[in-house]
Every structure is written in structure tokens, then in C-alpha cells.
Amino acid sequence: MLYSTFYLGDTQMAVPIPCILEIGRSFKFHPVRGAPEVIDGIINLRGKVVTIVNLGLAFEEIKIEPSDESRILIFKNNSELNEVADSDTVMETAPDNIGIHVDRISDVIRVESEELQAVPSNMVHPFYKNVVRRGDSFIIILEPSKILNLHETPDHLS
Amino acid sequence: MSEAKNIKFNIYNPIITYEHRAAYDMIVSHLQEIFPICNQGKCKALEVSDDPQKQKQINDLMEKVEFFSNSLITITKVFFDQLYRAKQTSSQSISQSTAMIKIDMIERNLLERTCDVRWWALEKAFWQCITLSNNSKSNGKAKSSTNSNNKALKEAVELACTRLEDIRNSYTLYRDLVIADTNGVIIANSNSDRRSKVIGMNVADEEWFKKALETKDGTEYFVQDVSDSKLEDMDALIYCTALRSNGDEQGDVIGAMGVLFDFQGESQIILNDYLPKDQNDQTLEGWFSFFTNKEGKVICSSDETFISSGEITDLPRNHRNLTKAGEAIVSTGSVCGNRSLIVSHKSKGFDEYKGLEWTSHLVLPESAMFERSDTNENFGISPQELMNSKLIPEKNQQTYREIQRNKGDIQLISINGIILATDLGKAGTSFIPIFDQITTTGNSTTGKMEELLSEMSSDMLEQNLKALENFSKQAVDLIDRNLFERAADVRWWSTDHAFWEALQEGSEENFEQAAKRLGIINASYTMYRDLVIADSNGRIVANSKSENRDKLKRMNVSEQSWFRQGMQISRSVQFGVQDVCDSELENEETSLIYCGGVLEEGQREGKVLGVLGIFFDWENLVFPILEGCLPRIKGEVVEGGAAFYVNDEHKVIATTDSENFKIGQVVKLPSENLNLDAGESASGIFTANEKKYIIGSSKTQGYREYQGLGWTAHVVRPID
């Protein structure tokens, strides 16, 4: 399967390409009063309202500020994901279109299923699904549904 | 990118290097390859999906790729122009500073000469000698000259010659010094090798002599621009003034004094400085430096074979006809068969001194502006940091950002294309290689452009470091030359009859006379705060400033370094100096004190009777020197630029930025800049006060017989 890779600080992460609807530059976010701090705001994507999660804050780290390099990965909602032709893998995102704000994007990589390794027990995290080795470095495969459904795990990092 | 229309350095310009032309071909041909790929993508969209919305999405993506590729092709054209323009601007600015440094250096020197001649003309041995000579001539006409008169005249001429020699020994900048009677007959000279030729020569028809006789009083002088004179075989630059009865500034004119400055020797040092040399210390081909006079004639040249003195050069007319003081012009043209950059800078004089309207010219091969240095040291600064630094012109930074943005856009389009292709399932897989190719091409072309920008930024760094090195060398050269003059002054003044007579006699009347004499010196030379005479016990017996007299008379200086050094002197060619420190003598003000031994009977060698101490007006004189050596862009000092001197313990002794580089502070600098050998220069990068600076440093090598005090000049500018 193809994965889109990106960086959060120095950590390279990846999500499956079929889950992504589109990748864009940092849009103008409309702030939402009362929304959790982890939400940068909402955007209008060709008529669709999309909530943007600041991935930096989702990991309780440093907030990602919009820059020339920062990007938004907008995920398909569950029904759009089901419509994707030839989708032979069971995947889930969220009922709504949600985007994540990342530091910068990198390459698209192809990962065979046998390359996916379990997350080592001492670095288990609710958002982590697998780890893939590429040369001397590692790429963490994220579980989009966990990031996109933060309300289901209010104490998400516990 | 409207600049595309005003491209000066297009890729066919012969100045563009082979490597850059190859890079241009590579970038453009790769970008051209994207268009057929996009067409292929548009056709495939029709094949793999019946959904018009999907087809439109793919078409839109392909058109966007085409748009950004076109944009990159335009940027590439402008890019090479900017690359070369940036190097040209920087190189021209540095060359202009170099031409200015040279004319400034010679003008400062000539200003000192104007002080010298006026003061020397008051010397007792000279006016006494001329008076006797004039008397003997009038007696001769009356046919009543006696043997005793002849003997007295002979002795007076011998003494005058000795005193002229003393001056020449103290100030090694002169080829000869002569005194003539009102008829223009040379009575005495300083250069014993030429004495038999010169004495008795009549110079009544020479301009300098006529003008000297016309001076109104002892404050006036005349300078005869470089020209023929019987006194010498080579062209001479002669400073002159009248000799007056009884050495009185307002007295009757009784003769003239002319001093022949070693203009060619001095100019050769200045002209050959700052020119790049090969391993054999020969100036590189195509580099010339020369001065022209107000008629546009060459008066001294770094290469007399190609650009000879006395000739009008084949420079463009506008370089020969500069009219305004301080005017500068830069252009390209052919000089000695080479395509060259020509920089001309007309003298603006110095302070009130107007100068002789000379112009300094610097010629270098046009290609030298664009040459890459062999060193390519990065000084631990990343190309990106350098690219965003203040060294890189805003226009080039904009291009860098535009390339980055286009690179980002192409990457984004490619990934979105892959997302779209994935959504099409198996049918979409044929798109993936197309988008991969777009990503690869986008990366390779923008990568190559980034590489070139990085090359440009490291070249700019190199050029700026070189410029700071030049400024630091100028700063140290100027102070060395200035202090050489002080060393010459103190040696000569120590031999003055008023001082040794006062110390020998020890009467109040003599001390009063010595103080008066010190006062006249201080009025002629503007760079001293005070001049004092101390007897052998260290008691101050006379000084130049009457307002300090009461305070100084009670003072004993026997423990002070300058006095102790002075008491060790036994020959008139020796001197001592006390490095910059807070002096008790001057209410703890920072002082630099030169001293000379006052010897018995004013002899060249003998017992020391006391010490002459001269207090250089350090702060007021050193600050303008440092300020003149600050880095500038289009005449304006670069924001945050600073220059400072450190002593041999690396402590700051003078600064233009007392906030960041304080007096007395030891600034943490790279070791290459700290541990220089005499005459060496270095450059580098360092951080101070949370700012990153580039720095050029030069250590003193002294000047002529003046050894220097081990100081180093540092010139810095912040880059972030």
C-alpha cells in the first residue's frame, strides 16, 4: 500500500494514501470559540466544513504554526472511504472530514504488508499502529481513526 | 518576474561560466520534459475514468504542473542574471572601497607633510645659515668679506646640513631637503650623496621656489605637484615655504625651504597593497593600480611597463575627467587589451586639507568578479542560514523563496495526483509513474537551483570576508602610519636647541623659552593634547599648554613608563612609547605617550639630560580612523558594523561600538583572528551578544622603521 509520509519535528510518520482526500498548504483557519485547544479551527474545502487538528498539540507537544513548509492532510470521511474503488483493506477514519496540521510533508512510499512491524512495547502510543524501517531510519505508521476521533478518548494519552 | 525583460547576464553572455551554462541546460531540458508527461496524463485521464469530475481533477493537476514548470523556466532565466548581478555588485563595491582606501592613504600622508615643512622652516640652524649667506653675499659685493665671516658661514652651512640630515633620519619619507637663499641658490641639503651636485644649484626658475617666497607668513606653504626639478633625476613632489628672519613666523623672507617627498616609494607601497598575488608574490595578470594627477596623467603605477608614469592612459574618458572631490565611477572596458572592470575614485582631501585633486584607479579583469574561490570554507554556517543572512541581497532571497514555493507546489500536486490515482483503484495505477516522474524532475531541477544559490551565497560570504579583511588592514595601516609620524616627530623635536639648552642651563628663563617652543609645535600639529619636558629627576619643567602648567609643575613622573624609557635613550634616532593606558598626567584620560631623549648639546649620540613626552590625542584621532574603515553599502555604514583595535593582550583599546565591544574587554573571537603573526590577516565568523558576526582582522606589521605595538584591527558586521 502507498503511504504519505510527513514530519512532526524530527519524527517521520505516515498515513495510508487511500485515507487521504487531499493535501494542501496551511489554509486560513476559522477559529471556533469553545473548541478544544488541539483544534486549529475549521476550513472551507469546496463547500465542506473540515475541522483541523494540530498534530503537535495532539501529541501534547509544541503547537505547529502555519509556515511555508507546514501542510494540512485532509482525510476522507468514512462514507467517502467506503466508496473508494478496489479498496481491499478495511480502514476507518471518522464520520466527518477532518484534517491534521503537520510540520512538513515528505515522500510517498510503498510499504508491503510484511514490512509492517509492531510498535515496540516501550513506545506504545494510542496513535501508533506500526513501525516501518527504511534504511537506517524508522517511519511510524499512524492510526488515523484514533487521531481523528479524539473526543472518544478524552484522556487520549493516558 | 517582470525582470525577465531586463536580463543583463543571459546564458549566452560570454562571462557566464561553462559550469553554469551546463546547469542551465540541465534545468531547462528537465523542465521541458514535464510537458509531454502532463499531456500523457491528460490522455490517460480519459482512458481510466468515465467520471467527468475525476477527469477534470486530473486535468487540473496536470495544468498546474505545467504552470509551475513554466514558472520555473522563467525563474531559471532570471536566476542566472541575479546570480551574476549579485557577484558583480559586491565585487564593484569592494573594488571601489579599495580605490578609495589607496587615495585616502596617500592624502593622509600628504597632510602630515604640510605640517612638517612649516615647522622645520623655523629651525634656528636654517635661518642663521641663510642670514649669514645673504650677509656674505652683500659683503662680497662690497669686497670686504673676511676669513672669519667665511669660516662662520662654512660652519653654519655644515650645521644646517647636519640638521637637515637629522630631519631626514627621523622622517625617512624624504629623498632630500634643501634650503636656498632669496636668489634661489641652494645653500644646504640633507642628502650627502647628492650634496656636491645640489649645493650651489640655482632653482630661481622653479615654481616651488617662487611660490615659497610668495607665502605671506609662517602658516602658509606651497606644494608643487609631481613634476620635473633640477634637484632630482626623477619627478619630484616638493613641499615648500619661506625661511624668515630670526625664525619669526611674521619675519621678512630671507630664503626658501623645499622638501622632496619620496612620493614614488610611498605610492608603490600603497599601490601594490590590496592587489592579489600569485605564489611568487607577483601581482596577478590584468590587475593594475595607479594614481593620475588633475590633468589625467599617470603619476605612479603598480606596473610601469603597461601603465607608465607621465602618460595619459587609455581609460574611458569619464574616468579621466572626474571633477568633483570624492567622485567615483565604475565601468567595464578594455585596458591593456583585457576586458576589465575599471574603478576610479577622485580624492576628497582630508579634513581641511584639499589635496592635489589626484584620482586613484583600480583595474581588474572583468572575469575576476565572477571567479570562485578555491577555499570554500563554510565556517560552520549552513547554506540555508547563509541564504537567509543579511549578506544576500533581498532580491536573491525572494528568488530563493520562490523556488522553494514552486518546489513545494510541485510536490503537493504530485502527492495529490497519487491520492487521486489511488482512488481510481487498479485503473489509476498507471498514473503513479507519471506523478513519480513529476516529483523527480521537480526535485532535481529545484535541487540544482538551490545548489547554485548556495554557491552564490558562499561566494558572497567569501567576498564580504575579503572586504572586511581589507578594511581591517586599512585600519591597522592607517594607525601604523599615523604612529610612525608620531615616532618621527618625537625624535626630531627632542633635538631642538631650546630643550637641551633649557635642561643644560636649568634657568626659569630657559624653561620659559622651552615652553614657548612646545607651544608653537602644538599649535602647528593638531594631534597632540600636550607636550612636556621632564628633567633627569622626572620633574616636569616645561609644557606646551599654559592652562596645565600649574598642575604639571608639581608633578614627578620618574615612575612612569614613558619617562623611564626616555632616560634609557642615548641616540637621537631612538624613541620610546607607552601603550594606551589611563594617564595620571591627564586626569586619568586614555593616553598614548611617545617619548624621546633630550641629549647633551643636541648631539646625535650622548648623555641624556631629560625626556620629551608627547601626548597623542588618542580618542579624538583614532575614532575617525576606525569610523572610516567601517563596512559600507552604497556609502552607508552597514547596520551593526563595528571596528575596534585590540592591544597585544587582546584588550579593546579603541572602538566604534562601545556597547558591544567595550574598551578593556577581551572579545571572544575565533583563534585564527586572535593569534595572527605580524602583517597577517584573517577572516571568520563568531557569535557575540547573541548575534552572528563576520569578521576581518589584521595585525600590525609596522610601517617603515616603526615596528608597531602588536595591535590588531578587527572589523565586524552582523549577518543575522
Side-chain angles (χ1 to χ4, degrees):
Chain A
M1 188 185 291
L2 294 174
Y3 285 81
S4 175
T5 68
F6 56 87
Y7 280 90
L8 183 64
D10 293 329
T11 311
Q12 194 173 11
M13 299 176 168
V15 288
I17 285 269
C19 296
I20 304 171
L21 180 67
E22 190 176 326
I23 301 177
R25 290 187 173 275
S26 294
F27 293 83
K28 186 174 190 284
F29 307 125
H30 296 273
V32 181
R33 189 181 289 265
E37 203 189 342
V38 74
I39 305 293
D40 273 337
I42 52 171
I43 59 163
N44 176 359
L45 179 74
R46 292 187 293 277
K48 288 181 182 173
V49 174
V50 180
T51 312
I52 307 299
V53 174
N54 192 300
L55 198 60
L57 292 177
F59 275 92
E60 285 199 337
E61 288 178 353
I62 300 159
K63 185 178 180 179
I64 296 166
E65 298 294 345
S67 71
D68 282 346
E69 286 194 295
S70 70
R71 297 285 183 270
I72 306 291
L73 276 72
I74 299 163
F75 288 85
K76 295 182 176 97
N77 60 31
N78 282 332
S79 61
E80 284 166 340
L81 191 57
N82 289 334
E83 280 173 25
V84 174
D86 298 337
S87 178
D88 50 5
T89 317
V90 180
M91 279 188 288
E92 200 189 342
T93 51
D96 302 314
N97 289 112
I98 293 174
I100 58 170
H101 192 181
V102 301
D103 274 325
R104 61 194 161 97
I105 53 166
S106 184
D107 306 326
V108 169
I109 55 165
R110 180 177 290 281
V111 180
E112 302 303 335
S113 53
E114 55 272 25
E115 290 181 273
L116 295 169
Q117 295 179 29
V119 177
S121 57
N122 55 356
M123 54 174 274
V124 168
H125 188 284
F127 299 164
Y128 293 176
K129 190 177 178 193
N130 293 103
V131 176
V132 172
R133 209 179 67 173
R134 275 287 183 276
D136 290 338
S137 56
F138 292 92
I139 301 169
I140 295 166
I141 308 286
L142 298 181
E143 178 68 86
S145 61
K146 290 279 169 35
I147 308 168
L148 305 180
N149 296 290
L150 287 175
H151 61 281
E152 289 176 4
T153 50
D155 199 10
H156 59 274
L157 292 174
S158 62
Chain B
M1 282 286 150
S2 58
E3 300 151 44
K5 289 175 196 158
N6 303 316
I7 285 177
K8 180 177 172 188
F9 292 101
N10 74 29
I11 206 67
Y12 304 107
N13 188 320
I15 211 77
I16 305 275
T17 61
Y18 168 76
E19 289 78 8
H20 286 168
R21 238 172 273 167
Y24 174 85
D25 283 347
M26 177 255 168
I27 293 169
V28 172
S29 66
H30 276 203
L31 286 169
Q32 298 283 12
E33 281 167 18
I34 282 188
F35 297 101
I37 296 171
C38 289
N39 276 335
Q40 200 189 343
K42 286 178 194 169
C43 297
K44 238 177 208 350
L46 298 172
E47 276 175 33
V48 300
S49 175
D50 296 332
D51 180 353
Q53 203 190 338
K54 291 271 185 229
Q55 286 176 359
K56 187 177 180 308
Q57 275 180 294
I58 293 172
N59 257 314
D60 284 352
L61 285 177
M62 293 302 162
E63 274 167 18
K64 275 187 188 170
V65 172
E66 285 173 342
F67 173 81
F68 289 119
S69 300
N70 261 327
S71 159
L72 275 174
I73 289 174
T74 313
I75 294 173
T76 308
K77 286 179 187 160
V78 175
F79 171 80
F80 280 93
D81 185 51
Q82 286 186 352
L83 194 76
Y84 277 73
R85 273 181 200 253
K87 284 188 181 183
Q88 187 189 41
T89 308
S90 163
S91 187
Q92 285 181 350
S93 161
I94 293 166
S95 304
Q96 204 174 321
S97 301
T98 309
M100 189 194 76
I101 288 171
K102 288 168 186 254
I103 196 76
D104 190 40
M105 201 79 86
I106 194 86
E107 289 295 9
R108 281 170 190 255
N109 198 321
L110 298 185
L111 167 70
E112 298 274 357
R113 310 289 66 85
T114 67
C115 298
D116 289 344
V117 72
R118 285 179 287 180
W119 167 245
W120 295 334
L122 304 177
E123 166 73 21
K124 190 177 178 184
F126 306 152
W127 60 261
Q128 275 188 337
C129 172
I130 293 290
T131 307
L132 278 177
S133 167
N134 287 342
N135 289 345
S136 107
K137 273 177 194 140
S138 53
N139 291 341
K141 277 178 197 162
K143 302 199 175 196
S144 61
S145 65
T146 61
N147 281 344
S148 64
N149 282 350
N150 284 343
K151 194 181 166 214
L153 175 62
K154 199 178 164 213
E155 281 172 4
V157 168
E158 272 172 18
L159 179 63
C161 286
T162 307
R163 295 300 283 154
L164 288 168
E165 273 174 28
D166 285 344
I167 297 178
R168 191 162 168 255
N169 291 339
S170 298
Y171 298 79
T172 53
L173 295 156
Y174 295 96
R175 288 201 290 260
D176 206 353
L177 299 93
V178 296
I179 53 172
D181 64 18
T182 41
N183 298 322
V185 177
I186 304 291
I187 305 296
N189 87 322
S190 68
N191 187 344
S192 55
D193 295 341
R194 292 186 56 81
R195 191 158 295 152
S196 59
K197 277 188 189 168
V198 170
I199 292 189
M201 188 181 272
N202 193 308
V203 290
D205 56 342
E206 296 209 356
E207 190 191 14
W208 70 267
F209 175 76
K210 292 183 213 163
K211 293 281 187 185
L213 295 190
E214 287 170 14
T215 53
K216 287 201 286 287
D217 56 37
T219 64
E220 274 200 355
Y221 72 96
F222 175 75
V223 54
Q224 179 179 297
D225 206 339
V226 181
S227 54
D228 277 348
S229 167
K230 303 177 187 152
L231 291 169
E232 284 202 306
D233 300 328
M234 62 173 92
D235 284 349
L237 176 65
I238 306 176
Y239 285 79
C240 60
T241 193
L243 291 171
R244 292 172 188 276
S245 56
N246 299 318
D248 182 347
E249 282 187 319
Q250 304 300 326
D252 295 335
V253 174
I254 54 169
M257 179 176 199
V259 298
L260 290 83
F261 176 58
D262 181 17
F263 163 73
Q264 284 84 350
E266 182 60 23
S267 295
Q268 280 300 332
I269 299 174
I270 294 172
L271 291 173
N272 281 297
D273 247 352
Y274 306 94
L275 291 182
K277 306 277 193 300
D278 63 15
Q279 297 113 321
N280 303 320
D281 210 31
Q282 296 292 310
T283 301
L284 295 186
E285 286 298 331
W287 287 76
F288 305 100
S289 176
F290 52 98
F291 296 134
T292 52
N293 64 11
K294 62 181 169 188
E295 278 97 39
K297 275 188 189 162
V298 177
I299 46 174
C300 196
S301 155
S302 64
D303 191 335
E304 289 284 344
T305 314
F306 287 101
I307 295 175
S308 313
S309 293
E311 288 181 5
I312 302 269
T313 57
D314 65 347
L315 293 182
R317 189 173 297 145
N318 50 0
H319 283 261
R320 283 184 270 130
N321 297 341
L322 294 178
T323 50
K324 282 187 216 144
E327 193 181 355
I329 184 165
V330 182
S331 65
T332 46
S334 179
V335 178
C336 300
N338 295 325
R339 185 89 192 137
S340 304
L341 175 75
I342 312 160
V343 183
S344 303
H345 203 292
K346 196 173 177 78
S347 160
K348 58 177 190 305
F350 185 71
D351 282 345
E352 289 154 31
Y353 173 67
K354 297 282 174 259
L356 294 168
E357 297 180 50
W358 291 347
T359 303
S360 162
H361 306 272
L362 180 71
V363 174
L364 54 139
E366 191 183 17
S367 57
M369 287 192 282
F370 309 105
E371 263 165 22
R372 298 225 57 209
S373 109
D374 304 330
T375 52
N376 277 332
E377 200 179 335
N378 67 9
F379 300 100
I381 186 166
S382 74
Q384 190 154 9
E385 200 179 348
L386 198 53
M387 196 62 222
N388 292 321
S389 76
K390 285 182 181 166
L391 293 178
I392 308 300
E394 177 54 31
K395 207 179 259 186
N396 298 72
Q397 291 192 1
Q398 273 172 16
T399 305
Y400 177 67
R401 286 194 289 269
E402 204 161 339
I403 290 171
Q404 291 290 330
R405 199 172 169 82
N406 279 351
K407 182 184 176 183
D409 282 333
I410 291 176
Q411 183 193 34
L412 213 51
I413 293 166
S414 298
I415 298 179
N416 280 323
I418 291 170
I419 293 168
L420 208 57
T422 312
D423 287 354
L424 292 172
K426 289 209 167 60
T429 50
S430 54
F431 275 112
I432 306 238
I434 292 175
F435 287 111
D436 277 348
Q437 183 60 43
I438 289 169
T439 310
T440 310
T441 307
N443 281 343
S444 72
T445 52
T446 52
K448 188 72 199 168
M449 288 163 99
E450 281 171 355
E451 207 177 285
L452 290 165
L453 276 165
S454 158
E455 172 194 311
M456 182 201 74
S457 54
S458 76
D459 284 356
M460 297 289 274
L461 172 67
E462 192 77 31
Q463 281 186 338
N464 277 285
L465 288 172
K466 189 74 213 157
L468 292 188
E469 257 184 45
N470 280 355
F471 283 128
S472 67
K473 182 166 160 42
Q474 182 194 9
V476 88
D477 278 353
L478 283 175
I479 198 73
D480 276 345
R481 282 160 185 269
N482 201 314
L483 299 184
F484 159 83
E485 300 285 349
R486 309 296 64 89
D489 286 346
V490 79
R491 284 184 296 182
W492 164 245
W493 293 337
S494 302
T495 65
D496 195 286
H497 67 96
F499 307 149
W500 58 263
E501 276 171 9
L503 289 169
Q504 261 174 224
E505 301 299 324
S507 72
E508 278 307 312
E509 196 185 328
N510 288 118
F511 291 145
E512 199 56 46
Q513 197 58 38
K516 205 171 158 190
R517 193 85 173 141
L518 289 171
I520 296 172
I521 299 177
N522 207 4
S524 306
Y525 291 76
T526 53
M527 59 287 284
Y528 297 103
R529 283 207 285 254
D530 207 350
L531 298 94
V532 301
I533 303 268
D535 66 15
S536 58
N537 297 318
R539 191 174 62 92
I540 291 181
V541 292
N543 80 312
S544 67
K545 279 194 173 167
S546 53
E547 60 267 36
N548 294 345
R549 204 150 294 164
D550 286 344
K551 185 192 125 193
L552 294 179
K553 268 207 162 170
R554 286 189 291 273
M555 207 167 267
N556 189 302
V557 292
S558 57
E559 292 305 309
Q560 297 196 8
S561 165
W562 64 271
F563 175 78
R564 291 209 303 269
Q565 289 180 51
M567 284 305 288
Q568 300 300 314
I569 288 170
S570 59
R571 291 186 298 131
S572 61
V573 291
Q574 296 174 315
F575 71 98
V577 58
Q578 180 173 317
D579 206 338
V580 178
C581 63
D582 294 337
S583 167
E584 189 192 332
L585 227 63
E586 294 197 289
N587 301 327
E588 301 301 322
E589 274 198 85
T590 309
S591 292
L592 176 65
I593 308 170
Y594 279 77
C595 63
V598 179
L599 306 182
E600 206 169 36
E601 299 290 332
Q603 286 170 342
R604 287 180 183 170
E605 199 165 349
K607 187 186 159 201
V608 64
L609 303 170
V611 180
L612 167 68
I614 60 175
F615 295 70
F616 183 57
D617 191 357
W618 174 246
E619 274 142 8
N620 286 328
L621 283 153
V622 81
F623 189 76
I625 292 180
L626 283 176
E627 217 177 26
C629 300
L630 288 171
R632 284 176 164 76
I633 296 174
K634 291 179 183 159
E636 294 294 316
V637 174
V638 172
E639 196 187 336
F644 52 97
Y645 291 119
V646 299
N647 63 14
D648 57 357
E649 292 166 350
H650 307 307
K651 277 186 191 159
V652 176
I653 50 169
T655 179
T656 59
D657 181 353
S658 51
E659 202 175 304
N660 292 304
F661 307 102
K662 295 184 182 78
I663 300 282
Q665 182 189 349
V666 175
V667 185
K668 278 186 188 163
L669 299 174
S671 61
E672 294 82 1
N673 296 72
L674 279 178
N675 305 316
L676 293 168
D677 287 334
E680 250 187 4
S681 294
S683 51
I685 296 183
F686 73 104
T687 304
N689 312 310
E690 294 172 0
K691 269 189 208 159
K692 203 161 245 179
Y693 287 90
I694 55 171
I695 176 170
S697 312
S698 296
K699 185 161 182 156
T700 175
Q701 60 177 344
Y703 169 66
R704 292 180 181 251
E705 68 275 11
Y706 173 69
Q707 300 293 310
L709 296 169
W711 296 348
T712 303
H714 300 288
V715 181
V716 302
R717 65 173 280 195
I719 59 168
D720 52 17

